[in-house]
Amino acid sequence: MNDSAFAIDVRDVTKTYTSGSLEVQALRGVSFTIAHGEYVAIMGPSGSGKSTLMNVLGCLDRATSGTYFLDGADVSGLDDNALAQIRLKKLGFIFQGFNLLARTDAVKNVALPLFYAGVPLKERNAAALAQLAEVGLSDRARHKPNELSGGQQQRVAIARALVNDPAVLLADEPTGNLDSKTSAEILSLFARLNGAGRTIIMVTHDEEVASHAKRVLRMLDGLVVSDAPPAKPAGAVLTKS
Amino acid sequence: MMNYLREALSVLFVNRLRTLLALLGLVVGVAAVIAIQVLGQATAGALSGSLRFISQDTFVIFPDTQKGFDAKALFTLKNVAAIGRMPNVTQAIPYSQIPVIARAGSQTAKLNLAPMGGDPRFLAQPLDFGRSVSQADVDARAPVCVLSANAVSKLQADGEALIGRTLRVSSNHCTIVGVLHQPPTGALNYDFSPDILIPYSVFQREQMHGAKLFETEVLVEDTSQMTATEKKVTDYLKSATGNKFSYRAIDSRIIAGFLDKAFGIISLVVGAIGAISLVVAGIGIMNILLVSIVERTREIGVRKAIGARKSQILVQFFFEAALLAIFGCSLGAALGLLAGWYVNSHYIIKISGVIVPLPWAQAVTLAMVFAAVITLAFGTYPAYRAAALDPIEALRYE
Ligand SMILES: Nc1ncnc2c1ncn2[C@@H]1O[C@H](COP(=O)(O)OP(=O)(O)OP(=O)(O)O)[C@@H](O)[C@H]1O
Ligand SMILES: [Mg+2]
């Protein structure tokens, strides 16, 4: 995908939220690297800074200090427009709540990033349909989010995240709103994508879910406290791929 | 550009209910303004039709009775003769209108009798049939008369057939020598024109019996000097009656001036109402757009998280506002024209007999200008607000 050494390289990243006189140190100096093609889970108790880290990695937010190399390029000091461009070209974000546009069909949802990238309508739709096929939803292309199950909605969201062929796929609790069977579907999709070389970073509270990743970063109070392979051996899904 | 247009269209279509609500105020506002314009013009046109009742070449002059009527302000035939000799005056005649019962053949009608001089310029309307009262008629006190179209219709007669027939007016009679053209009707249902015109010499003998005069009608030579002549005549009458009274002159231009003033006030009021309703509609649009931004906070968050730049969100919302404005204003203009046309052609024409052309160009211009103003004035701020949203906070918004 790219010849730079790491997909992600963060050094001493901190994030401090100030609301009035109150300061919250959500990240207190986080450093790690993630190579291309890795599949990493981030775990940790509530409030430990997982979402904050994901927002920084996803270029939705800026670190208070520290440096962040994404796909070999320093993105720490970029302005809003440049960050938007990075999100558009290099990152795919998947949310716990799917965040699809309501009353808008699957193809249109998936094609949305291409719209902002200035791709013409026909190519957009073709690419979106191809991506929907990739996540196994060809037959639901014209359905609207409220006509889809939670798992299907999340797969539409994944297709949308992938449609720009991003360097990194970021997922903040992607199975948080799903039952275990649907979660398994999403996880097997992730495993397949990772098998095809996609870099995936996923936040989860569930050890079972985390066990599908090949590496687990554990956070506590705004710090990464452990970095190791998953505790339990990978489940059936992984062996299948 | 096409992409944004298509995206904006699809967003508006996807959110049909919200779009309809936003459109409603705009459509009603623009339609009201344009309908009012059409009706205003129709009314103005109808009113101006009334002006044709008065001859363009004469003025009448009478005591100003605003401070009460005093018989000493009346003047005499000698005064009228003196006015007749003044510069720019062709002829001055004693003037009055008297209601009479007239009979032609077996038909009788209540009509107005008035004197005229021996000059066709005293007539407010052209003749349809026959001739006018001549100076020879005046000099010979010939019992001839000219009838208005109104008189002909009230007598239920045919204008041409009446020529040469005898008209009985109270105990007198006259030979009908001319019939006037039907004036264009106006909304002022006040008929300025008399129905039966006879030589003033005859009128004097049969109707005035040496009484003092309240009114004189003056035919001027050069109408561009009418105001100056009116002033001179007024001054003359003032001094002739001992400088104790003032006199008023009225001519077709003065009446037109009154009407102009009245139209001016009407159009001002109409314009003000229109402007207010447009501003209200504009604020309504802005309100809907702002509410829709709050409603769409998450959507905007998603769009930004996906990689939409500020400017892209701005342009998109701007396009939505512009589409709404253009669509609403066009629809409003069409409805306004339709409503104006309907009322104009079904009701106003019945009152006034006048139908005015629809102000297409004005309506289209107004709609376009207003669409542009709405977009710029009331679309920019919401679009800016949307573009300025922080993606994380927008995504967290419930
Ligand atoms: N916008 C903000 N303003 C102030 N404090 C914030 C903000 N966002 C997060 N925080 C704080 O930063 C800390 C880390 O929050 P974060 O959302 O990253 O936790 P998390 O690990 O994702 O938790 P969870 O598992 O519940 O999602 C928390 O103490 C939180 O209250
Ligand atoms: Mg979180």
Side-chain angles (χ1 to χ4, degrees), chain A residues 50-51 172-173:
Chain A
K50 305 182 294 295
S51 292
D172 194 348
E173 299 192 44

Short mmCIF file of all heavy atoms in Angstrom, two decimals, chain A residues 50-51 172-173, ligand 2:
data_model
loop_
_atom_site.label_atom_id
_atom_site.label_comp_id
_atom_site.label_asym_id
_atom_site.label_seq_id
_atom_site.Cartn_x
_atom_site.Cartn_y
_atom_site.Cartn_z
N LYS A 50 -9.51 6.02 25.34
CA LYS A 50 -9.51 5.27 24.08
C LYS A 50 -10.10 6.10 22.93
O LYS A 50 -9.51 6.22 21.86
CB LYS A 50 -10.31 3.97 24.22
CG LYS A 50 -9.85 3.08 25.37
CD LYS A 50 -10.64 1.79 25.43
CE LYS A 50 -12.12 2.00 25.78
NZ LYS A 50 -12.35 2.53 27.14
N SER A 51 -11.29 6.68 23.20
CA SER A 51 -11.93 7.47 22.14
C SER A 51 -11.11 8.71 21.82
O SER A 51 -11.00 9.10 20.66
CB SER A 51 -13.35 7.87 22.56
OG SER A 51 -14.17 6.74 22.64
N ASP A 172 -14.19 2.67 16.43
CA ASP A 172 -14.40 2.89 17.87
C ASP A 172 -15.61 2.09 18.32
O ASP A 172 -16.75 2.46 18.04
CB ASP A 172 -14.59 4.39 18.14
CG ASP A 172 -14.47 4.71 19.64
OD1 ASP A 172 -14.46 3.76 20.45
OD2 ASP A 172 -14.38 5.91 19.98
N GLU A 173 -15.36 1.01 19.01
CA GLU A 173 -16.40 0.09 19.48
C GLU A 173 -17.39 -0.27 18.36
O GLU A 173 -18.59 -0.03 18.49
CB GLU A 173 -17.15 0.70 20.68
CG GLU A 173 -16.21 0.96 21.85
CD GLU A 173 -16.96 1.28 23.13
OE1 GLU A 173 -17.94 0.58 23.41
OE2 GLU A 173 -16.55 2.24 23.83
MG MG C 2 -15.08 5.85 24.05
#
